[in-house]
Amino acid sequence: MDRCSWVSDDPLYQEYHDHEWGKPVYDDQKLYEMFLLETFQAGLSWITILHKREAFKEAFDDFDVFRIAHYDEKKVNELMNNAGIIRNSRKIKAAIKNAQIFIEIQKEFGSFSNYLWSYTNHKIIYLEDEKLATTSPLSDKISKDLKKRGMSFVGSITIYSYLEAIGIYNHHQRNCFLHP
């Protein structure tokens, strides 16, 4: 079975590609999970995050945005001592602030899903370019807005990867069995 060229022979990577990556996500809980993971991925490989995903889930209270928004210094210290996750104090503190802003966006737009998908009139964008891009005008625009709202670790590269992961961008390569 042919997959996108970036997929290694790691079964976890193949499972992620085949059943998750590029599939449209509208559920705020899942959108937040992927958002948090993408912000921790900044500067690292995605497979590193996939291998730590369960540890992140446990450490970050099943990706409960409301609980994370209220983490205190004691919880930050607990996370910094958790060898199962990425122990970067700036990313951990950003996760807390980003969770608070995520909730504000939910209140403003009715859901984070409405916020994100409104950028494309709730339509999937099918990318035909075989080159593996890292940014786009859309990721630039969303990144700029999230930064303006006070979020961190939401550069255009991170947001582009996020848009692919949650299916706003469908970028399966032509030879991939999942190409539309």
Side-chain angles (χ1 to χ4, degrees):
M1 181 176 339
D2 289 332
R3 293 180 173 89
C4 294
S5 63
W6 54 265
V7 181
S8 72
D9 59 357
D10 185 314
L12 188 60
Y13 223 4
Q14 292 177 358
E15 177 74 14
Y16 171 72
H17 170 270
D18 295 356
H19 300 286
E20 245 182 296
W21 189 76
K23 298 214 185 305
V25 177
Y26 304 97
D27 175 71
D28 273 15
Q29 173 66 31
K30 183 67 174 178
L31 287 169
Y32 180 72
E33 173 185 344
M34 296 308 294
F35 187 81
L36 183 137
L37 293 173
E38 288 285 354
T39 60
F40 272 88
Q41 185 266 336
L44 303 169
S45 69
W46 185 245
I47 194 63
T48 299
I49 299 301
L50 285 179
H51 281 287
K52 294 179 175 286
R53 189 177 195 172
E54 285 304 311
F56 269 101
K57 182 178 181 178
E58 185 178 323
F60 283 89
D61 295 299
D62 292 323
F63 304 109
D64 183 330
V65 68
F66 299 102
R67 290 183 75 177
I68 295 167
H70 291 95
Y71 281 179
D72 58 15
E73 202 58 41
K74 181 180 176 198
K75 181 65 176 186
V76 170
N77 290 331
E78 177 187 315
L79 292 167
M80 284 298 296
N81 288 307
N82 185 334
I85 65 167
I86 306 301
R87 294 179 291 180
N88 178 312
S89 63
R90 289 179 54 230
K91 288 181 179 182
I92 291 169
K93 289 175 182 172
I96 298 165
K97 180 70 173 168
N98 289 353
Q100 295 164 356
I101 296 165
F102 189 98
I103 293 166
E104 289 172 13
I105 292 170
Q106 285 178 314
K107 289 176 184 172
E108 183 179 342
F109 289 86
S111 70
F112 194 76
S113 179
N114 284 340
Y115 165 76
L116 276 181
W117 285 94
S118 72
Y119 280 96
T120 65
N121 288 325
H122 301 271
K123 292 183 177 25
I124 298 166
I125 298 172
Y126 294 93
L127 299 173
E128 290 296 323
D129 192 351
E130 286 297 304
K131 291 186 307 184
L132 297 177
T134 57
T135 64
S136 69
L138 178 59
S139 66
D140 292 345
K141 187 175 184 179
I142 295 171
S143 170
K144 185 177 179 180
D145 185 65
L146 292 174
K147 286 178 181 179
K148 187 177 90 182
R149 291 170 183 273
M151 284 194 177
S152 303
F153 293 97
V154 292
S156 189
I157 293 172
T158 298
I159 297 303
Y160 186 89
S161 179
Y162 179 62
L163 296 176
E164 287 181 314
I166 62 166
I168 286 179
Y169 281 152
N170 184 314
H171 200 185
H172 287 283
Q173 295 167 332
R174 281 188 194 95
N175 69 320
C176 178
F177 79 99
L178 290 169
H179 185 270

